[in-house]
């Protein structure tokens, strides 16, 4: 004998599971990385052409990206307390139509011991001046010296670290090699970064 409850029960359960899983994906679109004690996980993704915004995740949580509505063209940055992992500030700095001063102001006010994550989107370099490049170099970047028009770039550094960061990738904008016509392919970078011990 056909019973409506016998069909509706499994259908409702399946719908609930799908809804729950979709909500998880929407709330936390970051990959999960397990790090040893005394380290923080991170995941960076550069923007894709001028269509897909970048993503910055820290401790397996999205802190900057499309779902947060806080990413934009240029250089995207997130600053964290290096001891506690607490988010201090996020921002995006338009290096095409904007000004470089808000970025240099951010880097100057960032305290020693902070962890700095950066990801490019569309065009990260046109307004970068020598002062801004120097401030990013001091965080441990090596690629910012040659960061150019529509290059894709991701970087994790630290204020006061005074060492070159192993967490940096760049793909140059080279027309024959570009994946998206006028832009190179998206870059992913993930790993674990030690807490600042002062």
């Amino acid at each position: 004998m056909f019973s409506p409850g016998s069909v509706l029960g499994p259908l409702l359960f399946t719908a609930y599971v799908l809804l729950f899983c979709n909500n998880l994906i929407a709330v936390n679109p970051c990959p999960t990385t397990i790090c040893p004690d005394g380290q923080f996980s991170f995941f960076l993704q550069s923007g894709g052409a001028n269509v897909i915004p970048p993503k910055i995740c820290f401790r397996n949580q999205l802190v900057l990206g499309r779902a947060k509505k806080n990413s934009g063209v240029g250089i995207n940055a997130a600053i964290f307390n290096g001891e506690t992992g607490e988010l201090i500030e996020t921002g995006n700095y338009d290096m095409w139509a904007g000004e470089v001063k808000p970025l240099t102001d951010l880097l100057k006010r960032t305290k020693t011991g902070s962890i700095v994550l950066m990801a490019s989107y569309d065009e990260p370099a046109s307004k970068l001046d020598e002062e801004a490049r120097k401030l990013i170099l001091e965080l441990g970047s090596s690629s910012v010296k040659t960061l150019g028009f529509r290059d894709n770039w991701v970087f994790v550094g630290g204020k006061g670290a005074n060492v070159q960061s192993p967490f940096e990738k760049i793909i140059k904008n080279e027309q024959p090699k570009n994946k998206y016509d006028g832009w190179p392919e998206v870059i992913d970078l993930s790993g674990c970064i030690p807490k600042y011990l002062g």
Side-chain angles (χ1 to χ4, degrees):
M1 180 83 159
F2 173 76
S3 166
S6 65
V7 174
L8 281 180
L11 286 176
L12 287 175
F13 177 75
T14 302
Y16 173 78
V17 169
L18 288 172
L19 181 63
F20 179 75
C21 290
N22 284 335
N23 284 340
L24 279 179
I25 290 166
V27 170
N28 188 22
C30 298
T32 300
T33 302
I34 307 300
C35 294
D37 287 345
Q39 297 189 21
F40 299 121
S41 66
F42 69 87
F43 173 79
L44 296 172
Q45 186 174 71
S46 69
N50 61 351
V51 178
I52 304 166
K55 184 187 297 186
I56 297 178
C57 302
F58 196 73
R59 296 164 70 185
N60 303 315
Q61 295 296 316
L62 183 71
V63 296
L64 185 142
R66 181 187 309 235
K68 291 276 188 180
K69 299 180 181 174
N70 62 351
S71 58
V73 168
I75 293 177
N76 292 264
I79 314 294
F80 299 88
N81 181 304
E83 291 183 64
T84 66
E86 176 189 1
L87 177 63
I88 296 169
E89 187 171 352
T90 64
N92 68 283
Y93 305 92
D94 187 340
M95 294 293 109
W96 176 253
E99 298 297 327
V100 73
K101 188 177 185 311
L103 176 62
T104 56
D105 288 349
L106 168 79
L107 298 173
K108 286 177 181 177
R109 72 175 174 265
T110 297
K111 295 181 180 176
T112 297
S114 298
I115 297 169
V116 181
L117 287 79
M118 295 182 163
S120 67
Y121 180 32
D122 187 9
E123 171 25 32
S126 290
K127 294 285 177 74
L128 270 186
D129 59 15
E130 286 305 310
E131 181 183 26
R133 289 180 193 269
K134 181 176 182 290
L135 289 167
I136 297 170
L137 280 169
E138 290 171 357
L139 298 173
S141 172
S142 55
S143 298
V144 74
K145 290 184 282 190
T146 61
L147 186 65
F149 179 70
R150 288 186 177 174
D151 290 349
N152 260 354
W153 173 67
V154 291
F155 166 67
V156 179
K159 185 74 173 270
N162 298 318
V163 294
Q164 187 173 318
S165 173
F167 303 116
E168 184 172 31
K169 286 185 182 179
I170 187 170
I171 300 178
K172 302 298 287 179
N173 170 21
E174 297 175 3
Q175 191 59 45
K177 297 179 182 177
N178 283 348
K179 184 169 184 178
Y180 305 111
D181 189 31
W183 293 267
E185 66 184 292
V186 170
I187 304 174
D188 289 349
L189 179 65
S190 62
C192 300
I193 188 166
K195 291 182 180 180
Y196 179 76
L197 301 176

